[in-house]
Structure formats: C-alpha cells, structure tokens
C-alpha cells in the first residue's frame, strides 16, 4: 500500500511538471519526455488502481436522467420539425473519423480534439463538429446538392463550465445547404431557421449578429494587418464577446505584434453595428471601399438583408463588424445568435432563490454558422468546390435554460407515457393481471403496473394525472375485451 | 518521397511482426517492444502522411445516407413505441466512460474495447455496451427501481463483417428492468418485448432461445468441470452457433484442458432443446438434480414458461441448453433471438439477383440479454445489489435486412416530408416566391423549392407523389392566405 501511495505522489508531482512545461510553452521534445515519464508511472499503478475507484462520469460529461431526456426530446422535436419544414433530409456519420480528416480544419482549436489510442490500425479522433464530417461525406459520395440536418454529439477537450451548459461531450443540431444557388438565398434561409427555432423554443429575446469573413479580411487589409496575420488577428477579434476592447487590443499589439495604429483602426470598425444602412455606408467608406473583398461582402450583406425583410426577420438581425467566429473554414457570411435577456430563466431563478440571477444566465451564443465554400474541396482529390452554408444550434445551453425553467415550474415533467395503471391490492390475481396487461399491450396501450406495492412506472406523476385510469382486475375482468380502450 | 515509401514498407512489415506475435500469444513484453517500434515508425511519417490521404470512414464504420436514415427512423419508432407501451423511461450516458468502469466486466471480450489516448487527465474508453453504463448509473444515483430504455451507439474493435451487419460502431436498443420483483415476471416481460418487436418489424420467422447461467454452471459441476474453468468452458460452449460440436469439444479438451469424459457429458446436455417439459425432465435427471444451482435455474425456467403461456408467446420460445452467451456479468436467465428463415430477404434477393441468397442472409442473433443481479453491486461502494434483467435489440442486423428489402421493393423510400413544392419556370418572381415560401413555413407546412431548375428537395419522389402539390406563384398569389393549406 505504501508503494502505491508513493507512486501516486510521484504521479501528482510529475503531472505538475508537465503542466508547468506546457504553460511555459516548452519545446515539444522536452514535454514529450516528461509525459513519457508520467505514463510510465501511471502504468506502474496498473490494476492496483482499482481500489481507488471513483464512481463518476468522465470530466465534462454527464448522464441524462429521464426528466432531462423528456425535456431533450421536446427540444429536439421542435428543432427537427423546423428542419423538416424546410425540406431537409438527415444523415449520420461515425463518432470518430480518421485523424487526418480533421487535421488542418480548426486552426488553434485543433488542440482540443480527442484522439483515440493507437491500438493497431488506423489513427482515429472523435469528431469535433458535424461540419467537417459533412464535407467529408459530400466529397466521398460526390454529392453537389443537398439540404440536410444532422443531430449528434461532438467532442471537445475544452475547459468545461457545466452550470453554463458547456460540456466536453455535447449535442449539435446542424442544418446545412450545399450546392450552387443565387447569392444569399440559402444564407437567408439559415437565418430564418434560427429565427423560427428560437421563437418556438420561447427562450426570451434574442439577437442574431451577422458579418462576413470577406469584410473582416478586407478590413484587416485596409487597416494594415500583414496577410499572414489575418487568421490570428481574427481569433483575437473573436474574443470581443468575452474581453474588453482594451484587452483585445493589448493581445493584438503585445502578443501578436500588430502596430498600435492598425489596432486602433480595427477598433473603430469593430465598434460598428447596424443593418442594411451600415452596409451601404461602408460601401462608401473611403478606406473600406479600397478592398474588393470587403465590397463583395458588403454587397452580399445588403442582399441578405433584402431577403430577410421578405422573411420578416430583420427585427432580430444586426450587422456587427466585431463578429469573427474562430473556425478556420468560413469563407463568407458568418452569424451567431445570442440571448439578450433571459427573462424566463431569471424570473424562474428569482422565484426560486429570491436572488438576482443575472450572472447565472449568461449562456452566451445559442446558435452559429456561416458559409464555407472551400471545405468540401479540401477533401476532393481534384479540389472540386461545393459551396455550402449552414447553422448549428447550440442545444446544451438551451437545455440548461429549459431545465431551469422546468425546475421552477409547478408542473411535473412526465417521463413515461403510461395511459393505464394495472394494480391489485395484494399479490393475488397475478395470472389475471398478467393476462390483462398482455391484452392491453397487444392493443397498443401504454401500461404501468403496481405489483404488490412496487410501482414499475417511475414517472412520478401517475397519481395526479387526470387522464390516467387505474384498473384493478377482479375475476370478472377475465376475458374482458380491451378493444373499447384502444381509442385512448 | 523514397524515404517515405521505405518507412511505409517498414510499417507494413513491422505490423505483420506484431500481428504474428499476437496470434502466437507471445509474452506481453515482447509484443509491447515490437508495438513501440511500430509506433516510432508511424511517428516518423508525421505530417508527410497527408499526401497519402484516403477519403473514407474508419474501418468497420459507415455513414448513413438519407434513405438509410429514413429506414432507421422507422425501425427506431417501432421499437420505441414498444418500449413506451411497457411504461419505460429513457436515459442517456456519455459515449466514453472511465476506463476502470469497464474493467473486469466483459471477460475475454475486454480486448475489443476502444481506449482513448492519454492526453492528460482521466483514462477513458468508449462504451462497449449499454448495460455496464446503466449499472454504473444506477449505483451512482442510488436508484433501486427503474424500467428504462436506452438507444445509442456502442463500440467494439471486432473483425467487421459489414455485409452481414457487423460493425465496429453500432446501435444497441436496450430495455432493462431493475428492482426487486416476484421471480421471472420482469424476465417474462423482456421476452414478450422481443416477441412484440420482431413481430412488428415483420422480418420473417424467429426463435427465442432461453437458458440459465445457473443451469450451465450446475451442468458444468455435475459433468466434472473444475470450478475455475466454468467461465472459459462457458465461452467455448457459446461458440456452438458458429462451430460444430466436434470443434467445440476439441477446443475444450485440447486448448482448455478438459477431460474427454467431461466434454462428452456436456455434449449430451447441450444437444437438448424443449420447453417446460424439458425443464421438468431435467429436474428429475439423476445427475442434474444433484446441483442445487441447476435446480433453482430449472424451476425458474418452468415459472418463466408459465408466464410466457399467459402472454401467448411460447410458440417462439425454446429452452436450449447450448445457449451460453459470452458476457461475464449474467447470473440467471439468458436468451437470444435468431431469425430462422429470412423469407422476405431471400425472396427479395432472389428477385434481384436471381441467386440463391441463403448465404447472404445468415444475420444470426438479432436480440439477446439476460439477468445480471451482481453488476450494480460491483459499482456500489457497499456492494448493495440491485437485481436487473434486460434485453438488447441488435438493430444493425435488422437494418441490413430492412435495407435489402427496401432495395428490392418498387416503392421509393421518402427521405423528406415535403408537402408542397414551390416552383417557377425561370428565375423571375423571386421575391414573390420567397414571400410565399415564408408564409408556408410560418403556417407549419413543409416546403420544397425548385429554384431555376435546381431542386432543393432531394427526396427523389416528389414528382410521383400524389399527395404533393406544386405551386407556381404568379402575381396574383401575392398576399394570398395560406391558412387554407394548414390542414395539410
């Protein structure tokens, strides 16, 4: 036992050595060397580790209990109904991809990818989103035109913040349109979808920010950002929703080596918000109008707003030059939806805790997406491009809100759909009960059972449910027809 | 380039070295050493491997296209409807568990578990089934009574046979009843569920084999198998559905060191099949009746058949002493459903290929399960037991059959639910079209669009669908009300 404690102590301190080296950005060789020592120590523990057994789910993950599943099902149904209304088909892809399929698609976020252990055979990684597998699917099957949705779990070795709905395993609900269309028509449809879903889920007021990668790139160019710094400066701009402009500027100048002047010019632009009018104004802007790219983006933003007017959704959409989005693969329009108030939740929280719940409701972005015209081409052996635009609903944050709402509501969440309870006071009449239940099942009726005091229906709401009938069979029910009940 | 080719050649031959050592069951040290060399070679390839990029899904996995998804949805709905009819709730668990959660639960199959790479933090493995995570969930949440279903993907590094529906990533549909009940009542319900589902899915005739771990253990005891050989001999008996008795006997005697006499006695028993009568006969059997365990199992089989008679499902159930099932955690009744004819499929195949399709339809087991009263206790810090019984529907094999049926059927599989197509002959009337579509969406109608010759509905069946209407907007449709359509 003492040996083991010593090894565990050694593991702990070796872990700290590794963490320190990583935070100091030490050389890869140096880190690898220390990691190897750590692994060796862990291996020494071997099977003895069993006594240290902890009953938990992995860090950043959770189980869903029946109540949470009932809420999840409701949210999914709303979303799927919307996707189907828009004529989408659905596909599914494996939870892991060849490691190389994911390589070079996520920029700085790549370090968050989960790899599988090399157990012989292919090197695999868990999917990081549903967009890259979708692009791989299109290229592999030579599909150039599809409107599809995909609802599945994705994996990110991020710092979890589970109370705010940030997990390492989480659902994404993606809707994408691939194919050649008139400019901005599928893009407008994606925004319409976000509008429909957030409206239907009734989560309180929201705002959809819109921008365009070409406008960002054009802006960087006219502000004097060197070409090779576009991506990294873009990542920094992306932090504006979490950091103040001062801190963002500091990162640009001190860490990324941008000139103070360029940073200040960027600062002017990224403070701008508006609608079609802003796009028109920027098309006249003496600096911005020098960039062809920016002008192309601005004209598309104008067109987009025209279609959004036809869809009657401009009330929620704002053209916001600070929106950047971290992922590498976007090429055109980008967007992100945020809840601007969380009235339902804060009211619920206040009712429950009597506290001002403002802090607890900063759930952040609940949907995001954009145009990625180059991604499919990265997979095609001949580089054939398939223009794509899509949106991903960040469902975990929505679950968090819905769960809080359900907690605060006096209404109980039903976790079964039981229509009839079959019961008997004691353990007698067992055969009659079983026969009756079997008849009910065969008639398609959802049955719960009380068996000698044990209720097999755990819905927790059967007693107070007015639509639920309780049947206590007696000898006379033998042979009774349940056909009359099948209308239930 | 030549360097790389050399390295790849070296990887290939080193891979063979490792495989050879494994097949020869060489010492762990020796294998580890050669694996280390292999990993080093792979590391040398590094990023250069990119040029070797192959567009595929990982070995043993597949994408589901919209047609397959439509079939999958239909099958899931049938199964979920049945589970709900039986009053079940649903839960979900993460796709990976702490490695130690899975350790020691699967016997010889443990080698098929996918591990995640140690990237710092916890050691994780992909779930191998849904039963062990369920037991972990019960122990963690101190739940002693629940009827739940869980439909999710599980992962096994097995030899894939994809045409026969055997994948490395595949769905399981599990239904389990945890809690203290009168003997054999939940067990009978599980068999009733298998009967209902296989009937409703209409896959052709099937047979549900039933046995009991206690009968097997008792049988091994009275046949003279040493206690410490029960599990390994049980694994060998489990192969009787794939191997002849002669080969099974050979493995018992030559590989596992059992006496020829003991093997022959086992051979006599495992050839027995029957119903309640066989259980009664074995209770009188002079050898079998010496085992208390076997008698307990046989009495339960009798009781089980009594309940199955009340449920009117005995026509498909057979008590079969050769049924063993590989997993370690079973403690009582075990069962497995097999398709005994694949009439629908072979007819379909014959129609398509004009060939005798007998070989292609050996889909094997389509459902299996049993009682595992000890598993939850393995997770409980105080070892508290929660009796459990459950069944898992092997859905991939069912998909394979349904897909073949759909292929052979003249009916097209619908992949969207589009009710109305909006079209225009040229690219004109765009604004009118968008406004009309938006109105239809808002009225809850599922819309497909023809845009300048591009159809965004890929269902492939819209043209011939009699319920589908095509709207070509003209100026007069402006402002038309779609309320009249919402009854669609």
């Amino acid at each position: 036992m003492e040996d083991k404690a010593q090894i565990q102590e050694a593991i702990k301190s070796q872990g700290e050595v590794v963490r320190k080296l990583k935070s100091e950005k030490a050389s890869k060789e140096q880190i690898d060397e220390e990691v190897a020592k750590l692994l060796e120590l862990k291996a020494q523990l071997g099977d003895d580790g069993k006594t240290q057994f902890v009953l938990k789910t992995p860090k950043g993950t959770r189980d869903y209990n029946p109540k949470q599943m009932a809420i999840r099902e409701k949210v999914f149904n709303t979303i799927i109904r919307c996707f189907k209304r828009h004529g989408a088909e659905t596909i599914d892809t494996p939870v892991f991809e060849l490691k190389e399929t994911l390589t070079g698609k996520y920029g700085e976020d790549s370090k968050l990818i989960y790899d599988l252990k090399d157990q012989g055979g292919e090197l695999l990684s868990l999917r990081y989103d549903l967009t890259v597998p979708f692009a791989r699917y299109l290229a592999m099957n030579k599909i150039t035109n599809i409107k599809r949705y995909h609802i599945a779990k994705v994996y990110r070795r991020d710092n979890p913040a589970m109370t705010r709905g940030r997990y390492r395993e989480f659902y994404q609900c993606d809707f994408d349109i691939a194919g050649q269309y008139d400019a901005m028509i599928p893009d407008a449809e994606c925004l319409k979808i976000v509008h429909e879903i957030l409206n239907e889920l009734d989560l309180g007021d929201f705002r959809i920010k819109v921008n365009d990668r070409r406008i960002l790139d054009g802006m960087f160019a006219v502000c004097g950002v060197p070409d090779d710094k576009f991506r990294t400066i873009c990542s920094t701009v992306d932090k504006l929703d979490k950091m103040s402009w001062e801190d963002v500027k500091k990162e640009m100048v001190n860490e990324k080596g941008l000139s103070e002047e360029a940073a200040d010019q960027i600062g002017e632009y990224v403070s701008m918000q508006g609608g079609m009018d802003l796009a028109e104004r920027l098309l006249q802007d003496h600096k911005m109008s020098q960039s062809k790219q920016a002008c192309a983006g601005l004209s598309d933003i104008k067109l987009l707003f025209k279609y959004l007017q036809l869809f009657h959704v401009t009330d929620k959409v704002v053209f916001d030059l600070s929106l950047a989005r971290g992922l590498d693969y976007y090429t055109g329009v980008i967007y992100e939806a945020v809840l601007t108030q969380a009235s339902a939740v804060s009211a619920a929280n206040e009712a429950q805790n009597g506290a001002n719940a403002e802090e607890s409701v900063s759930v952040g972005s609940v949907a995001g997406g954009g145009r990625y015209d180059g991604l499919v081409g990265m997979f095609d052996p001949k580089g054939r491009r398939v223009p794509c635009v899509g949106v991903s609903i960040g469902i975990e944050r929505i679950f968090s809100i819905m769960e809080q709402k359900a907690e605060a509501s006096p209404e109980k969440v039903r976790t079964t759909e039981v229509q009839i309870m079959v019961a008997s006071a004691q353990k007698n009449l067992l055969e009659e009960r079983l026969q009756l239940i079997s008849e009910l099942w065969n008639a398609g009726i959802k049955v719960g059972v009380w068996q000698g005091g044990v209720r097999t229906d755990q819905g927790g709401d059967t007693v107070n449910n007015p639509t639920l009938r309780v049947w206590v069979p007696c000898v006379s029910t033998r042979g009774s027809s349940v056909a009359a009940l099948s209308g239930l």
Side-chain angles (χ1 to χ4, degrees), chain A:
Chain A
M1 270 314 261
E2 261 191 15
D3 270 5
K4 208 175 61 192
Q6 276 171 11
I7 296 171
Q8 269 161 348
E9 200 48 50
I11 287 176
K12 212 173 136 189
S13 58
Q14 185 62 23
E16 272 155 27
V17 170
V18 171
R19 268 187 297 280
K20 189 153 171 285
L21 284 175
K22 281 186 180 170
S23 73
E24 288 168 352
K25 303 199 172 153
S27 75
K28 194 177 174 308
E29 290 73 38
Q30 212 181 342
I31 293 176
D32 284 352
E33 195 180 312
E34 298 300 327
V35 167
K37 283 185 203 162
L38 179 61
L39 293 182
E40 206 175 304
L41 283 167
K42 283 187 184 172
Q44 281 179 36
L45 261 191
D47 277 352
D48 283 359
K50 227 192 278 184
T51 51
Q52 294 288 317
F53 185 77
V54 186
L55 203 56
K56 68 187 281 294
T57 60
K59 185 179 174 187
T61 69
R62 60 164 169 178
D63 298 318
Y64 285 82
N65 65 34
K67 228 178 185 170
Q68 292 166 322
M69 287 299 280
I71 293 168
R72 185 170 117 178
E73 201 181 318
K74 215 181 111 191
V75 175
F76 279 162
N77 284 344
T78 302
I79 292 173
I80 291 172
R81 226 183 306 124
C82 174
F83 291 163
K84 287 190 171 173
R85 205 157 56 224
H86 286 258
E89 307 176 292
T90 187
I91 68 162
D92 195 16
T93 63
V95 80
F96 41 63
E97 294 277 344
L98 297 185
K99 186 174 167 58
E100 55 191 356
T101 299
L102 307 189
T103 302
K105 310 300 187 303
Y106 301 108
E108 291 179 8
D109 288 350
S110 295
K111 61 180 186 295
L112 303 180
I113 293 174
Y114 277 99
D115 291 331
L116 268 73
K117 192 167 143 187
D118 185 347
Q119 294 171 289
E122 301 160 335
L123 293 179
L124 307 174
S125 302
L126 296 186
R127 61 181 165 211
Y128 183 82
D129 65 7
L130 302 176
T131 310
V132 169
F134 175 55
R136 192 263 307 143
Y137 173 82
L138 294 184
M140 202 173 123
N141 297 288
K142 299 193 174 42
I143 295 167
T144 55
N145 193 280
I146 190 172
K147 197 188 254 192
R148 85 90 180 76
Y149 70 91
H150 188 187
I151 297 184
K153 287 175 177 174
V154 302
Y155 298 87
R156 300 187 183 178
R157 291 179 56 251
D158 213 340
N159 242 348
M162 304 182 21
T163 49
R164 290 170 54 200
R166 200 163 77 220
Y167 293 89
R168 289 182 157 197
E169 173 187 62
F170 58 98
Y171 266 99
Q172 285 197 333
C173 303
D174 278 24
F175 173 94
D176 293 80
I177 302 176
Q180 201 71 53
Y181 288 87
D182 286 349
M184 292 300 112
I185 289 192
D187 313 61
E189 183 169 353
C190 288
L191 294 179
K192 170 83 169 117
I193 278 177
V194 175
H195 195 274
E196 284 178 27
I197 288 173
L198 293 182
N199 253 336
E200 269 189 75
L201 290 176
D202 194 22
L203 301 165
D205 205 10
F206 58 90
R207 192 74 52 248
I208 308 174
K209 299 186 214 169
V210 176
N211 198 4
D212 192 298
R213 268 287 162 87
R214 292 165 297 173
I215 299 175
L216 282 166
D217 284 352
M219 174 181 86
F220 292 143
V222 300
C223 293
V225 178
D227 283 13
D228 62 340
K229 288 219 164 92
F230 278 15
R231 279 286 154 276
T232 180
I233 293 296
C234 193
S235 298
T236 306
V237 169
D238 191 38
K239 295 177 183 165
L240 268 174
D241 53 345
K242 284 168 215 133
M243 276 158 61
S244 69
W245 166 248
E246 283 67 38
D247 290 338
V248 165
K249 182 180 164 184
K250 220 176 280 169
E251 187 176 313
M252 285 179 176
V253 176
N254 300 345
E255 282 179 38
K256 313 233 159 148
L258 197 65
S259 76
E260 187 130 352
E261 199 199 341
D264 284 334
Q265 288 184 32
I266 291 173
E268 232 167 273
Y269 282 118
V270 295
S271 67
M272 294 180 181
Q273 292 193 347
M276 197 190 270
D277 53 315
L278 176 59
E280 269 160 3
R281 218 168 67 225
L282 286 172
L283 275 170
Q284 311 300 328
D285 183 270
H286 72 285
K287 249 192 350 228
M288 202 65 121
S289 58
Q290 287 166 22
S291 160
K292 256 193 180 168
Q293 269 207 77
C295 290
L298 289 164
S299 304
D300 274 351
I301 291 281
K302 269 182 64 182
L303 195 58
L304 178 67
F305 269 91
K306 187 181 143 197
Y307 296 146
L308 295 178
Q309 272 165 9
L310 292 172
F311 289 164
H312 300 290
V313 296
T314 41
D315 58 321
K316 306 288 188 195
V317 184
V318 56
F319 173 31
D320 181 333
L321 275 91
S322 75
L323 177 72
R325 295 191 62 73
L327 299 177
D328 262 14
Y329 49 63
Y330 291 119
T331 55
V333 168
I334 49 177
Y335 33 81
E336 197 165 287
V338 288
L339 301 182
T340 52
Q341 62 169 94
S343 51
V345 182
S346 55
N349 274 356
E350 275 170 50
Q352 270 220 321
N353 313 326
N356 184 323
E358 254 172 65
E359 297 117 75
S360 72
V361 296
S362 57
V363 291
S365 149
V366 289
R371 177 161 282 284
Y372 49 100
D373 289 347
L375 191 57
V376 179
M378 287 174 78
F379 290 108
D380 190 282
K382 290 181 185 158
R384 272 169 300 217
R385 288 158 67 95
V386 178
C388 293
V389 64
V391 63
S392 180
I393 311 290
I395 199 67
E396 301 294 340
R397 292 170 175 186
I398 293 172
F399 287 155
S400 290
I401 298 170
M402 302 290 268
E403 267 181 66
Q404 288 178 45
K405 275 170 86 167
E407 279 299 317
S409 156
E411 232 175 282
K412 277 219 171 182
V413 178
R414 279 205 88 182
T415 58
T416 74
E417 299 177 7
V418 164
Q419 296 163 300
I420 286 200
M421 294 294 297
V422 173
S424 70
Q426 300 93 20
K427 291 204 168 192
N428 51 13
L429 295 177
L430 176 63
E431 292 191 16
E432 287 78 3
R433 259 188 292 148
L434 291 181
Q435 238 165 349
L436 173 62
I437 293 166
S438 178
E439 261 187 274
L440 289 166
W441 283 332
N442 292 344
I445 292 166
K446 293 166 191 139
V447 188
V449 182
W450 261 291
Q451 188 217 357
V454 177
R455 217 177 65 217
T456 69
D457 156 78
Q458 293 295 309
D461 59 339
T462 39
V463 177
N464 297 316
N465 193 316
T467 66
L468 197 74
R469 311 186 199 174
V470 178
W471 272 27
V472 182
C474 56
V475 181
S476 71
T477 57
R478 229 183 272 191
S480 74
S481 164
V482 293
L485 284 166
S486 55
L488 269 180

